[in-house]
Amino acid sequence: MTVKTYLILNGPNLDRLGKREPALYGTATLADLQKRLEKTAAGLGVGVAFAQYNGEGEMIDAIHSVADKYDGCVINAAAYTHYSVAIRDAIASVDKPFVEVHLTNVFAREEFRARSVIAPVCRGSVSGFGFLSYELALRALANE
Ligand code: DQA
């Protein structure tokens, strides 16, 4: 039996977690998220790989890599969520499940954050639960 492996892909400015607007995003870092998800994955009997890019092109290359290397993807496209048709098209080009996540509740913030151009091409979305958003998304993928 092959172990299913999922890419946890984080977009721009998420490398600044822990320092970035802590009142909104908390003080835990991306490395802390990775540790927590590795434990969650072990409990679910699945594998996880992690990537973070600030650039749109690098994000698109990582999304394409899901086609051949992974069973699905948990994606926090950060600000690109709200306007990147290129990232939406990249997700649509890959025949694997993607789950959109956000640390904060994007519907409870500025109006421009309430729009996600990637939501229609994702299996589902989890928003507003901090690191738990990623755990719930991983659980959903492992349950496919
Ligand atoms: C975010 C929400 C986005 O609106 C924002 O641009 C981010 C982080 C979140 O995880 O809450 O960078 O995706």
Side-chain angles (χ1 to χ4, degrees), residues 12 20 25 76 78-79 82 102-104 106 109 113:
R20 171 193 187 196
Y25 295 111
N76 186 344
H82 311 301
H102 299 287
L103 294 156
T104 59
V106 287
R109 298 181 60 189
R113 292 187 206 275

Side-chain angles (χ1 to χ4, degrees), residues 10-14 17 20-21 24-25 76-82 101-106 109-110 112-114 127-128 134:
N10 280 293
N13 304 307
L14 291 166
L17 266 189
R20 171 193 187 196
E21 300 182 84
L24 269 178
Y25 295 111
N76 186 344
Y80 291 138
T81 304
H82 311 301
V101 297
H102 299 287
L103 294 156
T104 59
N105 179 352
V106 287
R109 298 181 60 189
E110 300 93 333
F112 66 83
R113 292 187 206 275
S127 170
Y134 291 76

